[in-house]
Amino acid sequence: MTEPCYSKNPDNGMAISSIIRAFHCPRQYFFYKDIPSKPAIEYSICKLVSCAEESATEEELWKTLHLIHPEISEDKRNFLRDCLMAMEHAPVRPWTETDIVVRSERAGIHGLLDKYHAQTGEYTLTRCTTAPKNGCWAEDAIRTAALLLCIEEAGAVKTPGMYIEYVRSGIIRYYEPTPKDRRRVLHLIQQVKEIEDGEFPHKPLNPPCSRCRFSDRCAQNAPRRLSFLFKK
C-alpha cells in the first residue's frame, strides 16, 4: 500500500492507523499524514507465521515471503526464524477468514481485522511488537476498541474483546476494551479531523521527541492554523 494513512475521500473515512499515529503524537501525525507508507515487512512475517499451517517449514514460508515482498532482504530471515521459534509452543488462534476490512459509518473509521473464526465468533489481532509484561500496549487497546466499534456496527458476532497475538514473543492475550479506550478512540478521531482541517496540534505531555524524525521541524514556532502561512 502506498497511500497516506488518512483517506482524503470522505466516503472511505479515516484509517485506524491514523488514530494510532495521532495517539503516539498528534504533531507526528501532522508531519506524517501525506507521506506514502508501506506495511512493515515484520508485520507480513508475523502475519504469515500466525496463519501458517502447522506443518509449514521455514523454507516454505521464506519462499512465500518472497512472493509477497520480492524486495525482502536476506537478513529478515533471522526475524522469521525467531518468530517461528517463539510461536513453536504457543496456542495459535484458529481462523476461517483473514485480512477482513471493517468499517464504522457512525465513527467514520475503517481498519483491517487480522483473523476471524466463524465457529467460535472470535476475533484476533496480530502484532509484530514484543509483548508487554502484562496485558497489552496502550496503542493495541485503542486499536482493539476501534476495530470492535466497526465489528459491532456491521452486526457481526458480538464479543466484549479480542485476542492479541504478540508473535515475536510467542504470547497471546485476550483484551476487553474499557469505556476509557472507546473515549480515547472518539477523541483521536476528532483530533485527526481537526489536523486535516488545517489545525496544528498542541504538543502532548510526554511526546516521543527523541525517536522522532520531525523533531527539528516541530521545534519551530509553527502557526496554529496552516492558513496563516498564506496570509500576506
Side-chain angles (χ1 to χ4, degrees), residues 1-8 13-19 21-22 28-29 32-37 110 192 196:
M1 184 172 70
T2 57
E3 311 173 24
C5 58
Y6 179 87
S7 173
K8 300 296 183 180
M14 184 187 303
I16 292 175
S17 58
S18 300
I19 298 172
R21 176 73 71 185
Q28 193 175 78
Y29 173 76
Y32 260 116
K33 63 187 177 67
D34 292 320
I35 298 177
S37 61
H110 62 84
V192 169
E196 288 299 321

Side-chain angles (χ1 to χ4, degrees), residues 55-72:
S55 60
T57 65
E58 178 188 324
E59 188 61 35
E60 290 171 338
L61 295 179
W62 185 246
K63 288 180 180 178
T64 302
L65 280 168
H66 268 284
L67 296 176
I68 299 171
H69 295 280
E71 76 287 0
I72 192 169

